[in-house]
Amino acid sequence: MRSHYPVPAGLSQQPLWRIDYEQAQILNWLGKTIGPDKLAMLQEPFVYNTYFEKNAYPTFQHQAMALRLRKMISADKNLSSAAWRDYFKLRRRTNGTFNNSVAADGSDGHIVNTLWGMGALEDLGQQVHLPADGIAWIRSCQLETGGFIWCPFPALGRCENMIYTWAAVSLLSQANSKPRDTDGCIRWINEQFTDEGGFRSSPLANPNLTATYYALDALRILGASASKRIRPQSARRSSSLPSTLKVYSAQIEAPGNGSPSEAVRLAQSLDIHLWTAKNASHQWIAEAQRIASMHGFSIQFARGDEEYGTYTSVSGFGTYSHLDDLVAPGDARLGPYPPQKDVPLPWTEFRDTRIKAIREDKGRMVWQFNENEELTRILLDEACHTGDYGAISSFHFGLDDFLDFEPFLMEWEGRLAMIGLQDSHGGESWWWTSQLEGFRTLYLAEDPSWESFLKAIDNKWVLSVRRDASTNHQIEWSGALSEVRRFIADREQDWSWWTGSHSDRPLAMLTVLRPNMPFEIGAPKEGLSIRVRLRFGLGDSPNKAVLYEQQSELVSMHIDDREVHPEQVVLTHDRYLLYNVREPESKVVSVVVRDLANGRTEALHADLR
């Protein structure tokens, strides 16, 4: 626990105070002291970046847990402050319930946020009880099945969940009340017990440790226990996969600008079958596909977009960005989106227009990230029934893995596909190579076509895999059904992009530039030019790779048998060697480059005819 506490700064877009609290609580249970080092940053509610949520609303549960953590680590228990009191007062509805947004917007409460909010009031030293209509509201969240949903009449996410049921039972107990159907509640909880020995969050989920905690604690509060009379439900069993399946490789939101010829050669050298180009023009995708087809490479270029400026509003929670990422065929004609950048759209309108159009054009939505667990549960539970999202991003550039700070996403493992999201930033694909070789999405299909990729997404025949410096060059998996994981692991030699301890990434990229080549910087108006990009270190951001240590150097360049000397061109986010060919009868350019780490040399050749 000491090695993982406190949560590292910069892991997310806001302080993860719930995780901080839970880790501190474990240390406290183990009899270890908790230092006051975090007390200084717990003085007032966090103000969220409006780029991620337009109203600057932080995640409610983390603010509530900040108070619990303050109380635990401070010798002075009188930690009430006007800032904290105002924060929770503004979010309390007239019936005593709480939610993420301010109550003045007229939205409903959330059953779990109400539990967090009532605990926060207690930590602030306030003796506040739920009014009668608040108790009635909680009791109305119970369905005929016996389980509870997040509010009585939800427009989205009408799904029972163990955490909702636990929160309802806890709140009703504090109010000296009970569920409308106590026996039904106990029965529903016991029905989620599986023959693996744990409880699941809902009838469609896999058993997990947190659901088991919520179930056992709810039963304790109700004065019941795990029933031996109810037959344990079968956890999901592995199914047999078609023997005709093979393992293919995809990159989601890979670079979609700069040199298409270099993107093609990187995809070929790194064994990438599907390259969804981020926010690329139709012309760029068509040019990359033309080059791949001309060389006989089995690489498909498609769309992998993040539609910047899209904000969607969900009543009671706020207005969020980063909920509009998609993959679609390269020839999809979806048109620009949103209609007006930075102008919020109700979630239902976004769903009924944009998401509908994407699915009709053989595309799928990808969940990039949202740090609000309560909102995420609603939208992803909804997606399991409607298909609003086809996949969840796990591995990601710069952050290693979203599951590190959004562990609740594991609840949808096996229910929604989990992919690696490149989310490329910057220009040339060459400078993004460290990410392209570091992690990717593997999918099972009979062929690498777009239709087969969609089938793999929908069947959850998908696995995200990472192997780079962040994993100490060990393989890490994310997501996937157990049978898919076994299938892919057993065929590692078919899809691995490294040889022994070495990556198959080239030391340099040699490109012959001809007149008016589209998207190719340095292309001449007449004659030929030779462009060589060398390798440079990653630094702290892939789009700044050109600013860091050089990893390879040019040993020589020859045009036919004559050595020539290119000039160096250095730009803000690009650098390369360029030679203008003056000999019209030249046939071949040959380049030798050296790895500065181990002295290994590599020869590159290109036809000039």
Side-chain angles (χ1 to χ4, degrees), residues 5-270:
Y5 176 85
V7 176
L11 187 64
S12 66
Q13 299 301 326
Q14 62 181 312
L16 304 176
W17 284 328
R18 181 182 175 189
I19 296 179
D20 277 325
Y21 162 71
E22 291 175 343
Q23 292 176 324
Q25 178 63 80
I26 292 171
L27 290 170
N28 184 269
W29 283 334
L30 293 172
K32 304 300 180 182
T33 58
I34 309 299
D37 55 299
K38 275 199 172 278
L39 193 58
M41 62 182 296
L42 299 172
Q43 299 306 304
E44 59 185 11
F46 182 73
V47 178
Y48 205 25
N49 189 330
T50 55
Y51 177 64
F52 298 100
E53 199 290 312
K54 269 196 167 294
N55 304 285
Y57 296 152
T59 299
F60 186 85
Q61 63 164 257
H62 291 308
Q63 313 317 299
M65 292 301 104
L67 290 183
R68 189 61 49 92
L69 183 58
R70 276 162 50 106
K71 189 174 181 179
M72 178 183 295
I73 65 180
S74 176
D76 179 7
K77 301 303 181 184
N78 184 21
L79 292 172
S80 181
S81 72
W84 283 112
R85 289 195 303 271
D86 291 346
Y87 173 84
F88 289 101
K89 182 179 180 180
L90 287 170
R91 284 159 177 77
R92 195 173 195 213
R93 277 60 182 160
T94 56
N95 63 1
T97 63
F98 289 87
N99 212 342
N100 199 72
S101 68
V102 294
D105 66 9
S107 61
D108 207 352
H110 186 286
I111 200 163
V112 179
N113 279 335
T114 299
L115 181 64
W116 303 145
M118 293 298 289
L121 296 182
E122 179 184 344
D123 292 334
L124 287 170
Q126 300 181 21
Q127 298 298 318
V128 180
H129 303 285
L130 276 173
D133 54 347
I135 296 172
W137 182 93
I138 294 169
R139 298 180 83 222
S140 297
C141 292
Q142 189 176 22
L143 297 183
E144 295 79 7
T145 60
F148 283 76
I149 54 180
W150 67 272
C151 76
F153 305 104
L156 298 166
R158 191 179 185 274
C159 307
E160 317 104 304
N161 194 287
M162 193 64 75
I163 191 172
Y164 302 154
T165 303
W166 168 74
V169 168
S170 299
L171 287 164
L172 291 173
S173 176
Q174 294 169 13
N176 296 315
S177 184
K178 292 183 178 181
R180 289 185 303 177
D181 180 4
T182 299
D183 290 341
C185 182
I186 295 171
R187 182 182 63 252
W188 183 86
I189 293 171
N190 276 305
E191 286 173 349
Q192 308 320 309
F193 185 65
T194 71
D195 55 8
E196 286 188 354
F199 287 82
R200 59 194 180 188
S201 297
S202 65
L204 295 177
N206 295 317
N208 63 77
L209 193 60
T210 52
T212 301
Y213 166 76
Y214 295 137
L216 293 176
D217 198 48
L219 290 172
R220 176 191 62 79
I221 294 169
L222 292 168
S225 59
S227 175
K228 296 181 179 179
R229 291 179 295 176
I230 296 179
R231 182 179 179 181
Q233 301 297 309
S234 296
R236 184 192 174 278
R237 298 302 184 197
S238 299
S239 59
S240 59
L241 296 169
S243 59
T244 52
L245 295 180
K246 298 179 181 178
V247 183
Y248 294 100
S249 173
Q251 288 293 14
I252 311 300
E253 292 188 10
N257 48 26
S259 170
S261 63
E262 291 187 3
V264 169
R265 281 177 287 159
L266 278 174
Q268 180 67 11
S269 66
L270 297 175

Side-chain angles (χ1 to χ4, degrees), residues 130-405:
L130 276 173
D133 54 347
I135 296 172
W137 182 93
I138 294 169
R139 298 180 83 222
S140 297
C141 292
Q142 189 176 22
L143 297 183
E144 295 79 7
T145 60
F148 283 76
I149 54 180
W150 67 272
C151 76
F153 305 104
L156 298 166
R158 191 179 185 274
C159 307
E160 317 104 304
N161 194 287
M162 193 64 75
I163 191 172
Y164 302 154
T165 303
W166 168 74
V169 168
S170 299
L171 287 164
L172 291 173
S173 176
Q174 294 169 13
N176 296 315
S177 184
K178 292 183 178 181
R180 289 185 303 177
D181 180 4
T182 299
D183 290 341
C185 182
I186 295 171
R187 182 182 63 252
W188 183 86
I189 293 171
N190 276 305
E191 286 173 349
Q192 308 320 309
F193 185 65
T194 71
D195 55 8
E196 286 188 354
F199 287 82
R200 59 194 180 188
S201 297
S202 65
L204 295 177
N206 295 317
N208 63 77
L209 193 60
T210 52
T212 301
Y213 166 76
Y214 295 137
L216 293 176
D217 198 48
L219 290 172
R220 176 191 62 79
I221 294 169
L222 292 168
S225 59
S227 175
K228 296 181 179 179
R229 291 179 295 176
I230 296 179
R231 182 179 179 181
Q233 301 297 309
S234 296
R236 184 192 174 278
R237 298 302 184 197
S238 299
S239 59
S240 59
L241 296 169
S243 59
T244 52
L245 295 180
K246 298 179 181 178
V247 183
Y248 294 100
S249 173
Q251 288 293 14
I252 311 300
E253 292 188 10
N257 48 26
S259 170
S261 63
E262 291 187 3
V264 169
R265 281 177 287 159
L266 278 174
Q268 180 67 11
S269 66
L270 297 175
D271 202 21
I272 298 167
H273 301 94
L274 175 63
W275 179 297
T276 71
K278 182 178 176 181
N279 295 352
S281 66
H282 289 291
Q283 294 81 1
W284 191 95
I285 293 174
E287 178 65 8
Q289 193 64 67
R290 183 193 69 80
I291 295 170
S293 300
M294 179 181 68
H295 289 287
F297 296 156
S298 182
I299 305 167
Q300 183 173 194
F301 285 84
R303 291 180 61 170
D305 296 348
E306 178 178 359
E307 296 184 313
Y308 291 111
T310 301
Y311 284 85
T312 57
S313 298
V314 180
S315 179
F317 295 91
T319 301
Y320 292 88
S321 62
H322 289 78
L323 295 177
D324 185 9
D325 290 66
L326 66 96
V327 292
D331 58 358
R333 297 290 175 178
L334 292 167
Y337 199 84
Q340 292 180 279
K341 287 188 179 296
D342 303 327
V343 175
L345 291 168
W347 169 261
T348 50
E349 180 180 339
F350 173 65
R351 176 196 63 194
D352 296 341
T353 55
R354 192 56 169 178
I355 293 180
K356 181 174 182 288
I358 289 166
R359 290 190 63 87
E360 288 177 348
D361 218 347
K362 297 183 179 180
R364 293 293 182 271
M365 292 292 292
V366 173
W367 180 274
Q368 184 177 157
F369 95 108
N370 186 283
E371 296 173 323
N372 190 311
E373 178 179 348
E374 286 70 33
L375 174 61
T376 299
R377 285 184 179 278
I378 291 170
L379 295 184
L380 291 187
D381 277 347
E382 183 88 357
C384 288
H385 295 282
T386 63
D388 290 344
Y389 286 93
I392 298 171
S393 62
S394 55
F395 296 127
H396 184 275
F397 96 88
L399 295 172
D400 299 343
D401 192 349
F402 278 127
L403 301 181
D404 285 344
F405 62 93

Side-chain angles (χ1 to χ4, degrees), residues 415-444:
R415 300 165 66 193
L416 291 171
M418 286 191 176
I419 56 94
L421 188 71
Q422 287 289 322
D423 191 14
S424 66
H425 289 65
E428 300 290 341
S429 56
W430 174 252
W431 303 120
W432 201 260
T433 309
S434 60
Q435 300 298 307
L436 293 170
E437 70 172 346
F439 67 96
R440 61 184 59 191
T441 301
L442 302 177
Y443 64 100
L444 303 183

